[in-house]
Amino acid sequence: TTAIALDTGQVAGIVGDRSATELAYAVYGQQRWSPFSRLHLNAGARFDHDPRGGDRLSPRAAVSFTPWTGGTLKAIYSEAFRAPSFYEKYYADGIVRPATSLGPEVVRSAEANFEQRLGRHRLVMGVFRSWWSGMIALRTVDDSTLEYANLSRIDNWGYNARVDGTMGAFSYGLSMTGAHTRRDDGDGDGEHPLPVAPQVFGNARAAYDLPGALPTVAIATTFVGSRPADRA
């Protein structure tokens, strides 16, 4: 952090000045296989080496099945992570000390959905769940100083639905998502609603393409359910 005097433009002081040279790399492999025409399998994994996030293998897999014409069933699982930033890992001053044991934030996701196409119309319905662990935040240590640590976790599950299509010059779309999202800060106080995260949200649109060189007339709207913005 650099402090600069407004009247002179000169540097008044520097706090937490650090530099580091880091080498990070990743390798990804994927295999696709269709044992028969209606079934498609996809599996892969990514290996990351990060000086701040450690060595981590993130697998991914998907299966797609077409039971009848126009209908598709899908299931997907994936993992990913975020390494601590340089600031979170190394910053230090009179109040904040470096977080030498800080680990990565990890997310695991699973979802299943069904899609049906009827001519130029499409209906999609699905369910999902995601788990975030090791979320990074500041905490107070015994000597009244602060440090970044892997403190909290987030659990998110819900459903989504979407329908869209065209009829001649008219096109439309409607989508909605309902999600139950809770965060555990690791303070023994249980789970709480995630700040500013709505439980229900979606959008709708409709458009009509006027003939010839005339413009397309359209209307769109978005709706969002109640959310605990006061906790932000």
Side-chain angles (χ1 to χ4, degrees):
T1 302
T2 302
I4 298 177
L6 289 178
D7 54 349
T8 64
Q10 300 298 312
V11 175
I14 300 176
V15 177
D17 184 20
R18 292 196 62 161
S19 63
T21 300
E22 300 176 334
L23 175 63
Y25 62 84
V27 180
Y28 179 71
Q30 176 178 278
Q31 177 65 49
R32 296 179 179 178
W33 180 42
S34 297
F36 54 91
S37 60
R38 292 181 178 270
L39 180 63
H40 308 282
L41 306 175
N42 189 331
R46 170 173 167 152
F47 175 79
D48 285 84
H49 170 76
D50 190 292
R52 283 172 273 118
D55 296 334
R56 184 163 188 87
L57 185 68
S58 301
R60 303 171 187 182
V63 56
S64 174
F65 177 62
T66 306
W68 53 76
T69 302
T72 305
L73 295 168
K74 294 180 182 179
I76 302 169
Y77 176 81
S78 62
E79 294 184 13
F81 79 100
R82 183 187 77 87
S85 67
F86 183 88
Y87 182 90
E88 292 166 335
K89 186 79 171 180
Y90 299 120
Y91 178 78
D93 57 23
I95 299 176
V96 180
R97 67 184 190 183
T100 55
S101 60
L102 197 61
E105 297 176 337
V106 179
V107 59
R108 297 172 176 86
S109 253
E111 63 177 287
N113 64 63
F114 166 71
E115 177 179 325
Q116 179 65 54
R117 290 181 177 271
L118 297 170
R120 302 178 69 182
H121 306 273
R122 179 179 58 167
L123 170 66
V124 181
M125 302 179 66
V127 293
F128 61 86
R129 185 170 185 181
S130 297
W131 306 262
W132 285 265
S133 59
M135 303 300 291
I136 297 172
L138 275 173
R139 70 175 177 184
T140 302
V141 294
D142 294 339
D143 55 1
S144 298
T145 58
L146 303 175
E147 72 172 356
Y148 285 96
N150 301 98
L151 297 179
S152 63
R153 62 180 181 84
I154 297 174
D155 190 9
N156 174 47
W157 55 268
Y159 63 89
N160 55 64
R162 182 173 76 252
V163 59
D164 56 56
T166 59
M167 294 179 291
F170 177 74
S171 63
Y172 67 94
L174 172 67
S175 69
M176 183 177 69
T177 298
H180 177 88
T181 309
R182 294 293 184 268
R183 180 171 185 158
D184 186 343
D185 293 327
D187 54 6
D189 196 25
E191 296 183 341
H192 302 280
L194 192 67
V196 304
Q199 302 299 296
V200 178
F201 58 92
N203 60 72
R205 61 174 175 80
Y208 187 82
D209 187 6
L210 296 174
L214 295 175
T216 298
V217 179
I219 184 172
T221 184
T222 298
F223 54 92
V224 179
S226 60
R227 46 188 172 166
D230 60 308
R231 291 173 175 260

